[in-house]
Amino acid sequence: MVEDQLRRRGIVDINVLNTMESVPRHLFVAEGEQHLAYFDGPLPIDHGQTISQPYIVAFMTEVLELKPHHKVLEIGTGCGYQSAVLSMIVQKVISLEYIEDLAESAKDRLSRLGYNNVSVHKSNGLLGWKQAAPFDRIIGTAAPSSIPDTLIEQLAPDGIMVLPVGKSVFDQSLFIIRKNKNKKVSIKQSLGVRFVPMVG
Ligand code: SAH
């Protein structure tokens, strides 16, 4: 997977490549789907949600230019795979999941597998997580119809946020939002993607 799907498509950040080599993706998918875990696409998980394609996880993680001291907010825990990848690179990950059942099972899975610097909360990610703001980095893995101001507010100076944005699954792109040290915000549109909508 790392060689064919990530390196070959241009992922170069060694931290991202090493991390995705070591996180056991098959332990994040349903038992019946384990043989498909390293396939080049998204897969269904419970409650009609998905685990993202490996390349998209790698691309978004690389865009974040992560440093070990970073505190990262993730919106859309799902099965916890992206959270696990982030947690191997940075100091602290706070991940928000709207569906209680998914939040609980991701919490159990991450602690069972030893990813102890991730906190999962059942919450609406559109509100961010004020208690621990600001965040050095923010990643959204569900798509709102526009970039939420609340999340821009919770991004620290020198911060980077990446999330899919679009009014429907057929009209979505990743957006990369940077806030400089003077809090000036710049926005860049990147890859076309298909994520589940950010609800709430
Ligand atoms: N990060 C996951 C992908 C999860 S799919 C991975 O590693 O594969 C997107 C998730 O976002 C779903 O579990 C969905 O329930 C959740 N979600 C949707 N809207 C949300 C919201 N407003 N707040 C928090 N989570 C939300």
Side-chain angles (χ1 to χ4, degrees), residues 35-73:
H35 62 292
L36 297 172
Y38 298 89
F39 151 81
D40 190 12
L43 289 174
I45 58 170
D46 289 345
H47 297 275
Q49 306 302 321
T50 51
I51 175 171
S52 304
Q53 180 186 12
Y55 173 67
I56 295 295
V57 173
F59 182 86
M60 292 173 80
T61 309
E62 185 170 70
V63 159
L64 289 174
E65 298 173 18
L66 298 171
K67 303 279 182 308
H69 66 274
H70 281 163
K71 179 171 68 178
V72 180
L73 177 68

Side-chain angles (χ1 to χ4, degrees), residues 116-130:
N116 296 320
N117 56 342
V118 185
S119 318
V120 179
H121 304 279
K122 192 261 159 217
S123 183
N124 182 354
L126 286 170
L127 307 174
W129 192 251
K130 223 172 168 177

Side-chain angles (χ1 to χ4, degrees), residues 7-197:
R7 243 188 247 279
R8 193 165 295 174
R9 290 198 184 113
I11 303 294
V12 292
D13 184 329
I14 197 70
N15 272 332
V16 175
L17 294 166
N18 287 345
T19 301
M20 291 200 46
E21 183 115 36
S22 76
V23 177
R25 187 169 161 92
H26 59 282
L27 300 182
F28 289 82
V29 304
E31 263 176 38
E33 309 261 357
Q34 285 194 349
H35 62 292
L36 297 172
Y38 298 89
F39 151 81
D40 190 12
L43 289 174
I45 58 170
D46 289 345
H47 297 275
Q49 306 302 321
T50 51
I51 175 171
S52 304
Q53 180 186 12
Y55 173 67
I56 295 295
V57 173
F59 182 86
M60 292 173 80
T61 309
E62 185 170 70
V63 159
L64 289 174
E65 298 173 18
L66 298 171
K67 303 279 182 308
H69 66 274
H70 281 163
K71 179 171 68 178
V72 180
L73 177 68
E74 179 191 24
I75 296 150
T77 318
C79 63
Y81 178 70
Q82 173 78 70
S83 333
V85 170
L86 295 166
S87 83
M88 298 270 297
I89 307 176
V90 303
Q91 195 164 53
K92 178 75 195 161
V93 179
I94 293 176
S95 188
L96 307 178
E97 171 55 55
Y98 198 65
I99 300 176
E100 175 133 38
D101 214 33
L102 289 176
E104 286 307 314
S105 61
K107 205 183 282 184
D108 286 353
R109 176 180 297 113
L110 288 162
S111 81
R112 192 162 23 86
L113 296 174
Y115 299 102
N116 296 320
N117 56 342
V118 185
S119 318
V120 179
H121 304 279
K122 192 261 159 217
S123 183
N124 182 354
L126 286 170
L127 307 174
W129 192 251
K130 223 172 168 177
Q131 295 88 320
F135 298 94
D136 303 301
R137 300 293 187 257
I138 299 178
I139 176 171
T141 62
S145 54
S146 62
I147 302 169
D149 287 340
T150 324
L151 297 183
I152 295 184
E153 278 159 27
Q154 293 185 18
L155 186 63
D158 264 334
I160 305 176
M161 165 154 79
V162 62
L163 83 171
V165 179
K167 298 215 181 325
S168 82
V169 274
F170 304 108
D171 176 26
Q172 260 182 32
S173 306
L174 286 179
F175 279 76
I176 301 166
I177 296 111
R178 288 171 182 270
K179 188 185 268 188
N180 75 9
K181 59 181 187 315
N182 303 317
K183 300 189 178 173
K184 187 172 176 304
V185 173
S186 62
I187 299 175
K188 193 177 117 192
Q189 187 167 356
S190 173
L191 295 186
V193 285
R194 273 197 197 187
F195 277 83
V196 299

